[in-house]
Amino acid sequence: MKYYFNTVKTLLNIASGKFFVVIQMFVSCCLYNLATLLPPIATSGIIATVTSHNFNGIWYYVVLYCIFYVVYFSMLNWNYYTYTVLANYYHLEVQKILFEHIANNDSIFNKISRGKIVDTTSDDIRYLVDVINAASEALMKFVQLIVVFIIFSSYNILVALIALVIDSIYLILMNNNSKKVSKYYEGTRKYEDKIIDILNQMLVNLKQVKSLNIMPNLNKKLDKTRTKWMQEYKYKRIAMTNRYCKMPYIVYIGKILLYIFLAYLVSIEKMTIDKLVLLISYFELTITCTDSMLTYLLNLSNYGIRVKRIKNILDYTSNNNIDFGDITNDYINGMVIFDKVNYEIKNKLILNNVTFKIYPNEITAIVGHSGSGKTTIINLLYRLDRIKSGSILIDEENIYNYTKKTYASNVSGVFQKPFVFEMSIRDNLSLVDSNFKNQIEACKRVGIHDFIESLPKGYNTVINDEQRVLSEGQKQMLVIARALLTKSEILLFDEVTSNIDLNSTTKVGEILKELKHDHTIIMITHKPEMMQIADRVIVLDHGKVVSKGTNDEVFNKCSLYRELRNRTFASISNTENEMI
């Protein structure tokens, strides 16, 4: 019972709202289950009046019979109402909690597979309301059984003891069976997660899967996981077969013996026919009630696996979680300072005593070979990681001292691969700012407004990769427009031109030169065309700053920068992707 109680407790801790509705579900469940005990009383009364030939009294029990069922269906209707309210709440609230937790702990995929996360956030949350429903039903069936045994005892204590022994043996065996079923159910879910994980990777890289014809070999690899899933499923079905095809013999053999004993009591005139009918009705109700309670407990065990999966995700916290400060100053000029910054991953030093200044109204390029620490600097500026020592300042204030909202509204940017949702252009922009005039202004500023207006549905055009509504360059322009809508003073651009052609690269360069007049622009780039537009340059090599200053100064004194800037466009791989 402790396991079932902890399952409910865990769910209530995850989503603590609607507690009053939870209480209503338990109360309504209790009342409609107790109401099912009333009709046999009316049935027994009707039989008693018939056997005594007192037909005038039959109408009293007929009316009573109707009243009992009105009470039953009224309470059942109340129970259905609470189920609906809780179903909406748990599904939406827990999904929201999961989404926010995953977004704030992006390294979670290093610990928990994407397949499990996708399956949990889409499938497991649908059954959370059934945790409360199954718990309330199982509890009330247990209460119902206690009431029935009290009724048995009031008529014949020996009959009550026989019924209790039969039911207790049945309960113990079935409860042990429930644990086995849940164990194997958890096993099937584990291997399903692995299969879904592969499916997600396939969907992301479907073209490569088809072009390389790797599906046959991939299926061979998956067959091992499928075989393990089949084993778990087989054991689960064996346990289920025992549950529904063998264990019920106990009840039915016991029922036959009990009915023989009741018939014997009638034959020796120690029990009347109406009492016989009443006790048989209640024993049948006992069996139905026991089966129902066991079914709900089995379901609760399976739902407990789902709650446990959700809790496992929510229990994960990244080691790099950043605590936000309380500074709400939104008047930021845009001066960025790295002062003797050191950063390491797993005891490996990634940034070594990095010091530099980045000024407002300028474009500052951070350059260096792959792995030199460029993207790490951007990640630190996004506050995705915390430094080991030193300090990072914006307008002479430590970046960790700003509130989350204030910082996000002043530091924004664009990543290497333009990311847009499969929704309309306007909806994508509305995720940042729903003001349509502001959206148009931002799109005009990056030079994509006219193209959007030329589309049949304009800003209501849905972005779909299959239909290729926007080219990669146009997507990048749209993403830059979205970044502008944040009203950020500091804009970060991480290899934004690596996947677009020369014309689009030139266009992005022109946009950045225009944006610098009222922004601090920081960009990582490997393209000479973009390096040339920078006002200042910071050159990194193996996590150290080897040169910094104006573009011409660095070009004249740093051979590494000359090497990077003199590379021809054609020699640079467009698929270069820094991991650090």
Side-chain angles (χ1 to χ4, degrees), residues 12 25 27 41 54 88 99 109 122 151 157 172 217 237 253 373 377 379 425 446 450:
L12 295 179
M25 175 171 274
V27 172
I41 297 174
N54 179 20
N88 289 334
F99 277 31
F109 298 109
S122 61
I151 294 172
I157 188 66
I172 292 169
N217 289 331
R237 292 306 303 176
I253 292 172
I377 288 175
N379 289 340
I425 293 171
V446 300
D450 291 341

Side-chain angles (χ1 to χ4, degrees), residues 276-436:
L276 173 69
V277 172
L278 180 65
L279 291 180
I280 287 176
S281 297
Y282 275 128
F283 188 75
E284 290 289 347
L285 186 60
T286 299
I287 295 172
T288 303
C289 186
T290 301
D291 280 334
S292 182
M293 182 179 74
L294 288 167
T295 299
Y296 282 120
L297 287 176
L298 174 61
N299 290 339
L300 188 55
S301 294
N302 292 337
Y303 299 146
I305 302 300
R306 297 179 183 275
V307 172
K308 183 175 161 186
R309 287 159 61 87
I310 291 170
K311 188 174 185 298
N312 284 344
I313 292 175
L314 294 178
D315 282 348
Y316 176 85
T317 52
S318 171
N319 293 330
N320 293 322
N321 272 356
I322 305 300
D323 296 324
F324 299 110
D326 55 6
I327 294 177
T328 59
N329 172 33
D330 205 29
Y331 299 99
I332 289 177
N333 189 35
M335 170 76 78
V336 178
I337 300 174
F338 270 56
D339 184 20
K340 299 178 181 177
V341 171
N342 291 289
Y343 174 76
E344 64 180 34
I345 299 176
K346 296 180 180 179
N347 297 321
K348 180 183 178 182
L349 198 60
I350 307 300
L351 295 181
N352 186 358
N353 201 34
V354 170
T355 298
F356 58 75
K357 285 185 180 181
I358 294 175
Y359 299 90
N361 310 122
E362 290 185 352
I363 299 174
T364 299
I366 301 175
V367 302
H369 289 306
S370 180
S372 60
K374 303 188 300 294
T375 297
T376 297
I377 288 175
I378 295 295
N379 289 340
L380 290 173
L381 283 171
Y382 277 123
R383 295 201 306 192
L384 299 177
D385 297 306
R386 180 178 281 278
I387 59 178
K388 180 184 178 183
S389 62
S391 57
I392 304 174
L393 310 174
I394 290 181
D395 289 0
E396 299 185 356
E397 188 65 61
N398 195 298
I399 62 170
Y400 304 117
N401 293 340
Y402 290 98
T403 65
K404 184 176 182 179
K405 182 178 179 181
T406 299
Y407 197 81
S409 67
N410 283 282
V411 180
S412 184
V414 181
F415 290 94
Q416 179 177 351
K417 184 173 174 57
F419 171 67
V420 290
F421 288 96
E422 194 170 301
M423 55 178 67
S424 72
I425 293 171
R426 183 171 182 178
D427 286 340
N428 267 283
L429 297 172
S430 293
L431 293 172
V432 176
D433 185 348
S434 60
N435 186 302
F436 190 44

Side-chain angles (χ1 to χ4, degrees), residues 10 79 99 114 140 152 168 242 245 286 312 320 344 443 569:
T10 301
N79 186 257
F99 277 31
R114 291 177 184 270
M140 297 315 154
F152 268 120
S168 296
N242 290 336
C245 300
T286 299
N312 284 344
N320 293 322
E344 64 180 34
C443 289
F569 178 82

Side-chain angles (χ1 to χ4, degrees), residues 34 98 110 135 146 159 201 206 229 231 245 255 259 285 293 303 394 409 425 457 467 475 480 500 503 509 527 538 569:
L34 291 178
L98 282 168
N110 298 330
I146 293 174
V159 172
Q201 294 174 54
L206 197 55
W229 178 88
Q231 289 174 346
C245 300
K255 182 165 70 171
Y259 288 174
L285 186 60
M293 182 179 74
Y303 299 146
I394 290 181
S409 67
I425 293 171
K457 294 184 180 180
Q467 296 176 0
K475 279 185 186 177
I480 294 173
I500 58 179
N503 288 334
K527 287 191 174 181
I538 298 167
F569 178 82

Side-chain angles (χ1 to χ4, degrees), residues 96-286:
K96 179 182 176 182
I97 291 170
L98 282 168
F99 277 31
E100 289 181 351
H101 184 77
I102 293 165
N104 291 327
N105 294 273
D106 55 318
S107 61
I108 192 171
F109 298 109
N110 298 330
K111 181 73 174 177
I112 303 174
S113 74
R114 291 177 184 270
K116 180 175 181 178
I117 291 172
V118 170
D119 198 26
T120 299
T121 53
S122 61
D123 184 59
D124 290 333
I125 59 172
R126 294 191 295 114
Y127 295 92
L128 292 181
V129 64
D130 293 309
V131 171
I132 304 298
N133 184 59
S136 62
E137 290 285 359
L139 178 61
M140 297 315 154
K141 295 298 180 187
F142 181 72
V143 171
Q144 199 175 26
L145 282 172
I146 293 174
V147 173
V148 170
F149 285 125
I150 291 172
I151 294 172
F152 268 120
S153 300
S154 66
Y155 285 101
N156 190 300
I157 188 66
L158 185 57
V159 172
L161 287 174
I162 293 172
L164 181 61
V165 170
I166 294 170
D167 206 51
S168 296
I169 294 172
Y170 188 51
L171 274 170
I172 292 169
L173 291 175
M174 292 291 271
N175 188 54
N176 289 335
N177 177 269
S178 294
K179 293 177 181 178
K180 288 184 179 180
V181 172
S182 294
K183 173 187 173 184
Y184 297 128
Y185 171 72
E186 186 174 15
T188 60
R189 292 304 302 276
K190 180 175 73 173
Y191 294 115
E192 283 172 3
D193 289 338
K194 292 184 177 181
I195 293 170
I196 292 173
D197 203 28
I198 296 294
L199 175 62
N200 285 328
Q201 294 174 54
M202 279 177 54
L203 293 175
V204 173
N205 302 284
L206 197 55
K207 291 179 181 178
Q208 290 91 326
V209 171
K210 291 172 68 177
S211 63
L212 296 172
N213 192 31
I214 63 175
M215 201 62 225
N217 289 331
L218 191 59
N219 266 323
K220 288 180 183 178
K221 182 177 177 62
L222 280 171
D223 281 343
K224 295 179 182 178
T225 305
R226 290 174 181 138
T227 300
K228 290 179 180 178
W229 178 88
M230 287 171 60
Q231 289 174 346
E232 294 293 319
Y233 184 74
K234 174 186 173 183
Y235 293 137
K236 176 189 169 188
R237 292 306 303 176
I238 291 172
M240 296 290 285
T241 301
N242 290 336
R243 181 183 188 88
Y244 292 114
C245 300
K246 296 180 181 178
M247 292 181 184
Y249 279 116
I250 297 169
V251 171
Y252 289 103
I253 292 172
K255 182 165 70 171
I256 292 169
L257 295 175
L258 181 63
Y259 288 174
I260 291 172
F261 180 69
L262 289 173
Y264 169 74
L265 292 178
V266 172
S267 69
I268 62 175
E269 297 183 351
K270 288 195 174 182
M271 183 173 288
T272 59
I273 294 293
D274 60 309
K275 298 298 184 293
L276 173 69
V277 172
L278 180 65
L279 291 180
I280 287 176
S281 297
Y282 275 128
F283 188 75
E284 290 289 347
L285 186 60
T286 299

